[in-house]
Amino acid sequence: MPAPLTKNCSTPLSADPARPTAGAPHIAIFTDELDWHVERLRKGFARHGARATPVRLSSCKIDTTRAHGLAIPGFHGRLPDAAVVRAIGDGSLEAITLRLGVLHALGALGVPLVNSARAIERCTDKSTASFLLAQARIPTPATFVAGSRAEALRIMRNEAPRGPLVVKPLFGAQGWGLKLLHREEDLPTEEEARGVFYLQRFVPPRDVWCEDMRILVSHGEAIGAMRRRSRRWITNVRQGAKPMACEPTPRERELALRASAALGADFSGVDIISGADGLPMVLEVNSMAGWSGLQSVTPFPIAERVAGDILRAITARRAHG
């Protein structure tokens, strides 16, 4: 059984001390808790004959006295054959930088990462993601990022007459912290915005329902999709939206694949919304996307498919030296 989580745990989250069968891939799952996704991934890897060990990134360290220069709990001095990043974890700027440094180091050592540190950085920072999507000529709602409230107010004065804007945390997920702005007084304070104002044109619903699409991309293929429908304009499943099975159009599928590739993600959840003209636009790309809502409307085990894709990537990398 998994070991209980403790605040200062410096060991892998699994209490199973057994080494993997000789020759079988041993995968690290970087996470902060043994949640539904981690357990599904462990079972998915097991179905493919591999072992997956959950580990906190905060428990890993750089140690130049070791052969590989890294210490990864649960791997007995070896490197993982691959790693799945489910969570970076909370912490100071220095702590987050160290954890990303561990991921960068694993990538430099040739360990396949889903996703790489660079892809995670690009997706997590919404301003960088918006810039890269625009550079790749992928349609997105108009986006403005300001480093002061005075500049954000100037943007509001210019853009609010054309319709509402949405302010989003630069680093955020699951729809938390979003606010709809109709007028200047709605703009958060500098403190509330933490000094950065990420403003995006609001895309109004086309009927009484608010909805968008989440497409799950794995290693260059769209493996599942759902519409998220809600009476509220925030359509995240964690905030009450209803997942509905759907089949993306060729255009929606193409945009999801291009968006994931533009940010360098091997695995991602791409959020797509239709504008007033009915044409799809990419809202954002999630590098540590969950799929519990999507699984509820998908006939095959998503984690098993994701695990298989990762193991095939390991095999392909070994074949090419």
Side-chain angles (χ1 to χ4, degrees):
M1 293 293 291
L5 298 183
T6 58
K7 185 175 182 181
N8 297 313
C9 178
S10 60
T11 58
L13 299 181
S14 169
D16 178 9
R19 295 175 182 268
T21 305
H26 189 185
I27 314 300
I29 302 176
F30 292 122
T31 184
D32 272 357
E33 58 179 337
L34 295 171
D35 63 7
W36 181 93
H37 291 90
V38 172
E39 291 302 328
R40 294 304 188 281
L41 280 171
R42 294 180 79 182
K43 291 176 182 177
F45 280 113
R47 289 285 184 91
H48 290 282
R51 177 186 170 198
T53 297
V55 185
R56 283 192 178 93
L57 262 176
S58 58
S59 299
C60 302
K61 60 185 178 181
I62 291 173
D63 182 346
T64 60
T65 67
R66 296 174 180 255
H68 297 293
L70 290 173
I72 311 295
F75 285 82
H76 313 287
R78 298 172 60 245
L79 291 174
D81 292 295
V84 182
V85 186
R86 286 295 313 153
I88 299 293
D90 294 329
S92 65
L93 175 61
E94 291 80 2
I96 301 300
T97 299
L98 172 58
R99 294 168 205 171
L100 288 169
V102 169
L103 294 180
H104 277 294
L106 285 169
L109 291 167
V111 176
L113 298 172
V114 180
N115 284 296
S116 71
R118 188 67 181 128
I120 292 169
E121 289 166 351
R122 288 173 167 180
C123 293
T124 304
D125 176 359
K126 289 186 177 66
S127 62
T128 297
S130 292
F131 170 78
L132 291 172
L133 291 172
Q135 290 297 298
R137 300 188 182 282
I138 294 168
T140 63
T143 302
F144 313 87
V145 187
S148 71
R149 193 171 190 275
E151 178 61 17
L153 280 170
R154 188 191 68 77
I155 294 169
M156 282 288 297
R157 292 187 189 106
N158 289 338
E159 298 298 326
R162 297 180 176 88
L165 299 174
V166 178
V167 63
K168 302 180 180 182
L170 196 65
F171 308 122
Q174 299 173 358
W176 303 113
L178 274 62
K179 184 179 180 182
L180 194 58
L181 309 177
H182 293 278
R183 51 194 175 275
E184 293 177 24
E185 307 89 84
D186 297 332
L187 196 67
T189 64
E190 290 265 1
E191 184 178 2
E192 289 169 335
R194 304 186 70 174
V196 176
F197 294 81
Y198 178 95
L199 306 170
Q200 192 170 70
R201 175 71 61 204
F202 176 62
V203 181
R206 300 173 66 195
D207 55 33
V208 296
W209 292 100
C210 298
E211 69 174 35
D212 62 10
M213 178 182 290
R214 162 67 61 87
I215 299 180
L216 203 64
V217 174
S218 177
H219 292 80
E221 227 181 294
I223 64 171
M226 66 175 172
R227 291 198 181 278
R228 303 181 296 189
R229 178 172 287 184
S230 176
R231 293 287 186 184
R232 300 177 61 234
W233 66 273
I234 298 176
T235 55
N236 295 75
V237 173
R238 286 286 187 92
Q239 297 209 40
K242 180 181 178 182
M244 303 174 64
C246 70
E247 181 64 30
T249 66
R251 176 60 174 163
E252 289 164 339
R253 190 181 300 269
E254 176 208 357
L255 284 181
L257 297 181
R258 285 178 56 205
S260 191
L263 299 186
D266 289 319
F267 173 81
S268 67
V270 182
D271 296 341
I272 292 177
I273 194 166
S274 295
D277 56 5
L279 297 177
M281 296 183 285
V282 173
L283 284 173
E284 61 183 75
V285 180
N286 304 272
S287 65
M288 292 175 279
W291 63 85
S292 57
L294 177 58
Q295 185 64 81
S296 69
V297 295
T298 301
F300 63 87
I302 293 171
E304 192 170 327
R305 167 62 193 268
V306 171
D309 287 347
I310 293 168
L311 294 171
R312 281 187 287 275
I314 295 173
T315 301
R317 178 168 293 205
R318 287 175 175 172
H320 289 86

